[in-house]
Amino acid sequence: MFQIGDALVSEDIIEREFVCNLSACKGQCCIDGDAGAPVDEDETTILNDIYSKVKPYLRPEGVKAIEKQGTYIVGEDGEYETPLIEGGECAYVVYENDTVLCGIEKAYLEGKIDWKKPISCHLYPIRIKQYSSFSAVNYHKWDICSDACTLGKELEVPVYKFLKAPLIRKYGEDWYEELEAVAREYYKK
């Protein structure tokens, strides 16, 4: 672990290689698991505010789940998360052919909203756990991402480089530049 600002960062972020391979996994991370995607407290207001613009992109079962549960829920661990459709996939999931996409991101890409998606989704496979005085930035290994690990290794792209844009979105340019400096020093060893 190393510290950048108030974040304790796992070496896995530098050591591991990763490039999403949507053509191989088909977006399985949005439909597997036992909980919705983590949502920051400030994102709960955003989800409420953008719902009417995102709703036309969603499937009827997603709309039904959101209108029954809300644009976000409080999970079993007391944290905010996206609602699920009958305990399964994320309510914001949409399909294009056999590939899972995010309805929020589709609305963003079409210029209907100016928010891409929850930061936890944008940062995956990095997971951030917030504590009172610091955050822990960790790599989350999940078997369904094995194709992304293989592609990352082939292309020689470490996790932190693949996730440059969301890391800057979360922590800022200066923080990311410090991460790059730490990585350069780490590779020299």
Side-chain angles (χ1 to χ4, degrees):
M1 295 288 263
F2 53 89
Q3 185 169 355
I4 301 176
D6 292 336
L8 291 179
V9 183
S10 167
E11 286 92 351
D12 285 345
I13 305 305
I14 293 171
E15 293 174 353
R16 304 252 183 177
E17 295 163 318
F18 191 97
V19 172
C20 276
N21 191 346
L22 201 55
S23 63
C25 74
K26 307 295 185 194
Q28 200 69 27
C29 61
C30 297
I31 57 176
D32 279 1
D34 55 3
V39 175
D40 289 347
E41 185 172 358
D42 62 317
E43 293 178 321
T44 61
T45 303
I46 296 168
L47 286 170
N48 284 333
D49 291 346
I50 66 170
Y51 178 64
S52 63
K53 293 177 181 173
V54 171
K55 182 178 175 180
Y57 292 87
L58 304 179
R59 298 174 303 135
E61 53 268 52
V63 171
K64 182 179 175 184
I66 292 167
E67 292 185 355
K68 180 179 180 185
Q69 300 170 61
T71 57
Y72 63 91
I73 64 166
V74 177
E76 290 180 10
D77 61 359
E79 302 288 326
Y80 298 115
E81 59 188 53
T82 59
L84 301 177
I85 299 170
E86 297 179 9
E89 61 205 35
C90 176
Y92 293 100
V93 158
V94 296
Y95 287 87
E96 278 190 12
N97 302 316
D98 61 346
T99 302
V100 175
L101 300 173
C102 175
I104 297 169
E105 189 169 15
K106 283 186 65 86
Y108 169 81
L109 292 171
E110 292 187 15
K112 304 297 184 193
I113 58 175
D114 61 2
W115 187 68
K116 186 167 187 156
K117 57 186 165 184
I119 191 65
S120 69
C121 300
H122 199 188
L123 277 169
Y124 197 78
I126 288 178
R127 282 289 186 228
I128 297 173
K129 176 72 175 163
Q130 190 63 50
Y131 295 93
S132 58
S133 61
F134 69 95
S135 59
V137 181
N138 291 297
Y139 170 77
H140 181 250
K141 185 174 181 352
W142 197 0
D143 292 341
I144 64 172
C145 293
S146 62
D147 290 313
C149 296
T150 300
L151 183 59
K153 189 174 284 295
E154 286 173 16
L155 299 174
E156 299 179 352
V157 178
V159 171
Y160 80 95
K161 285 188 178 181
F162 174 70
L163 295 174
K164 179 179 180 176
L167 283 167
I168 290 171
R169 174 182 165 198
K170 176 71 176 173
Y171 291 110
E173 290 270 355
D174 291 343
W175 188 94
Y176 188 81
E177 287 174 13
E178 190 172 338
L179 174 61
E180 285 186 315
V182 168
R184 281 191 300 275
E185 288 301 312
Y186 185 86
Y187 286 128
K188 284 181 184 177
K189 296 178 184 177

